[in-house]
Amino acid sequence: MTTLAEPPRHQFQLDANRTAADGDRRAAVRKALHNYSSARDKTGATFNDWKSARNAASAIKHEAVNHLDRYLEEFESKFTARGGKVFWASDSKQARDYIIDLAKRKSVRAIVKSKAMTGEEIHLNQALLEEGFGVVESDLGEYIQQLKGEAPYHFVFPCMHLRRDEISDLFHKELGTAKTDSPEELTMIARRVLRRAYIDADMGISGGNFIVAETGMISITENEGNARLTVGLPKIHVALIGIEKVVPRLADLALFLPMLATAGTGQHMTGYNSMYGGPRQPGELDGPEEFHVILLDNHRTRLLADPEQRDALHCIRCGACLNVCPIFKNIGGHAYGTTYQGPIGSVITPHFRGLEDWKHLSGASSLCGACTETCPVGIDIHHHLLHNRRNAAAQKPAKGEQLLWKAFAFLMQRPALYRLASRFAPLGSLLHPLVSGSPLDPVRSWTSTREFPHAPMRSFRDQFREHQAAKKGVASSGTQQGAKR
Ligand code: SF4
């Protein structure tokens, strides 16, 4: 688990180094992602025209994000008209306080929760436990991570890094069950515990995949049916959703639901797709008596205020960019130390949690562009990483690096000086081993994982000149021989 005992940048380096050296863990992640890739390729191919679908999705999200005020208010008025309650939370504290206060006022004892990355974002479980409320995660992957005391590894596949035997050992240790290698049996163990949790809970908490302005409803997609039980059984329900999840019309889901399933898990459609429009209405047999939706800002409006990077709010959290990212595959999800891992996490976290502390994430990219290519809503992710790098450099220039580039520019503009300097470059290669790794080594952080580049003894310019001279020599001796004949 990432404890962030160190400043984020150092912790990231430590965790990334550790995971990159853990061959078993990387193999487990690779295997999980290989299964995902083949399923996604197969399902993606059944879209008549994936490119047009992507453009349409991007246009809808552009419309929604650029008119958030209008669409969110439309949602609020329709949702509250059916008896639902909407709370606008500007930050994590407001959202946590609202839920804790509600739970206290309603004498809640036990809470069941379905997957909500917004809950992770505001550290909700920890806050509820500190206040004495029992909280059980009902998504299988999240439940496993909760038992393990770890944050989710991936925001779609929370325990993708764990092998079956590790899960069996965990259940054996925490629940006292017999060890088993059968995925069905492992699922049944969790199911037995979780069924009890739904029945005991007075409050259910969920996230939400989409907010539909037109109908005043939220949409939740899931594969286990746990979110349905989390919403349907307890008498109070709270859905904690980021404000960017809004879409204008119900018909938009005809595109987004299959798209999310394809990009996220390689399915045609996710197992359960439910719409919730408020508390139980007269004549209805189930559903909560109270339904609260918390619209979470938590610095999303800071990102909205940036016209260059605003489209990062188009993200539908499918996780596809993580699945194709070579960095994620090697360092894993926990190394990021953030709620949202991978390429999109590296783009948005500096906006959500501060550029100075989180700029290093934008450096952890090969800029291969695989994330941008796979993103179903067409976010230009790798260029946003470059924007973050640029902004970080402008905000707090690295003095040493600035000096280096200034010296480079100075030399490049003075050919004679450049030639002279390149004559001395091999000296650097010869001297570097003497200081390598010591505090006197000016490039030690760079060379700790790379070889120091060796400058050739003869520069390209020298070699070219010699080559030309040799060519001329051959030509003139040919002419002389021809003249003699
Ligand atoms: S940025 Fe795109 S690919 Fe990544 S999680 Fe969001 S929608 Fe999916």
Side-chain angles (χ1 to χ4, degrees), residues 4 43 67 69 114 120 147 181 191 220 222 252-253 256 265 277 290 330 372-373 376 386 401 428 449 458:
L4 289 186
T43 342
H67 299 95
D69 51 345
S114 67
E120 297 292 328
L147 277 186
D181 191 40
R191 185 185 157 115
I220 300 181
E222 41 140 358
D252 297 331
L253 296 190
F256 281 112
T265 51
E290 278 187 37
N330 283 300
T372 302
E373 201 177 313
L386 281 174
E401 200 177 317
T449 52
R458 282 159 58 241

Side-chain angles (χ1 to χ4, degrees), residues 9 16 54 65 80 98 107 118 147 158 180 194 197 205-206 243 361 370 410 416 454 472:
R9 184 166 65 90
R54 247 183 129 196
V65 164
T80 49
Y98 183 85
S107 309
T118 41
L147 277 186
T180 172
L194 293 174
I205 299 178
S206 70
I243 51 174
L361 295 180
F410 184 81
H454 291 282
K472 242 191 228 160

